[in-house]
Amino acid sequence: MEFWIWLSGALGPGSPKINDIVACFETAAYFYAEKKNGFRGIDFLSDAEKRRLLAASLSDALRLKEKTLDKGYRILTPDQKEYPDRLRNIYAMPAVLYIDGSLEQLDESVAIAVVGARRCSDYGRQVADDLGFHLGRMGAVVITGMARGIDGAAHAAALRAGGRTIAVLGCGLDVLYPLEHGALRRETPKRGAVVSEFALGEKPEGFHFPIRNRLMSALSLGVVVVEGQRGSGSLITANYALEQGKDVFAVPGSVLSGLSKGPFQLLRAGAIPVSCAKDVLEEYRYRYAAKINWTAQREAGGPPEEPRGKKPGAVKTAVAVPVREKRALPEDIEENIREIYEILSEIPIHLDEIAARMQKNPAEVLTALSELEIMGFVSANTGKRFSIC
């Protein structure tokens, strides 16, 4: 463990060289053995990085380890089984995670990051509160940077709903920032975790937050941006999510507000528009069916109850909507592609739902859909949804 702490201290949190070191040496201890040779012959390290590694002290790392554990915090490194798999293959994987609380079973959870402006509007705060509360109530893990504004509103609401939360800090675990979130900081480890790549005593420097943001997106399945200016930290988090293959959601706002420019930019680029927690969790209905509490969906924007005195099932017949005629496929098309095409209509349907109906691997279904798209029979819509042309 101390070797990883030494490595993180020398190269700094967020260093992309950690991936190279793990690929070549597997553990930090094996890499440390190269110190006696001055790290000669390791081409992916710059001369400056080699100097920092040579100057870094293992004794200092040992003292930091003991101090951290003495405070009751945990330390996770890539050679431990508990280290989240969601972090293992990202660019610049963390060498060390300092944790107050537990990340147990995070890889199997529907974890959603909610981010937005620190100086948010009343509208943004209300939306963040609603999202955080109902995501937490429906079984999602709510991840935030525990910053002022949108983050704090979503985080507090998730705790109020009895949900599990994770706060990712841009400072050491023993540094309270912002000061007004002392209650959030104390409550979060009881039902989740406070996580940081930064050692004890590290202050919340400006350059720490982009490093923190890529960790927030990596731990989640998707990122919801509520409000934010163009170029804001919220959009940085969304860009990291895209690079990592995660879903990006955006909450529409007033076109007259500068705080809506970030979400609007994301929506134009193909982000999934959402207005409530149910909109977000629909994306994971089939992959994580057992993890989502759909009985709470009415609170989260689900269908209204039947009117009193009305017999169950006595629903007014809907007016039929004309549907686009489905074109016939070529006779020589493969049977599995034909079966997938039969499920599709002009109403977009999510890839996971198609896979669930077909009882096939989503990757196999996506290959068939791509062939149909190339042939001009299928259109790919935002949010991994497909429909007939």
Side-chain angles (χ1 to χ4, degrees), residues 5-26:
I5 296 173
W6 161 81
L7 181 57
S8 180
L11 297 181
S15 170
K17 300 302 173 68
I18 303 299
N19 299 62
D20 297 319
I21 291 168
V22 171
C24 294
F25 297 92
E26 293 188 4

Side-chain angles (χ1 to χ4, degrees), residues 84-92 94 97 106-107 109-115 141-145 151 166-169 195 197 209-225 233-249 284:
D85 286 338
R86 291 180 185 177
L87 300 181
R88 293 189 185 279
N89 297 315
I90 68 167
Y91 179 75
L97 291 177
L106 178 64
D107 290 321
S109 300
V110 181
I112 303 297
V114 181
V115 299
V141 178
V142 176
I143 299 177
T144 77
D151 288 41
I166 295 174
V168 185
L169 305 184
V195 181
E197 286 182 78
F209 293 101
I211 296 172
R212 185 247 352 230
N213 293 346
R214 73 99 174 54
L215 187 56
M216 288 173 59
S217 59
L219 290 171
S220 69
L221 292 177
V223 173
V224 183
V225 179
S234 302
L235 265 65
I236 292 173
T237 308
N239 287 333
Y240 277 128
L242 290 172
E243 291 173 5
Q244 295 162 357
K246 307 302 177 75
D247 296 314
V248 175
F249 306 89
Y284 311 103

Side-chain angles (χ1 to χ4, degrees), residues 88-105:
R88 293 189 185 279
N89 297 315
I90 68 167
Y91 179 75
M93 66 183 292
V96 179
L97 291 177
Y98 300 103
I99 301 170
D100 186 8
S102 173
L103 294 179
E104 185 180 4
Q105 296 184 334

Side-chain angles (χ1 to χ4, degrees), residues 259-281:
L259 292 170
S260 298
K261 291 182 178 179
F264 181 71
Q265 181 180 333
L266 293 173
L267 290 168
R268 290 188 66 184
I272 303 167
V274 294
S275 62
C276 62
K278 183 175 177 289
D279 290 344
V280 176
L281 296 180

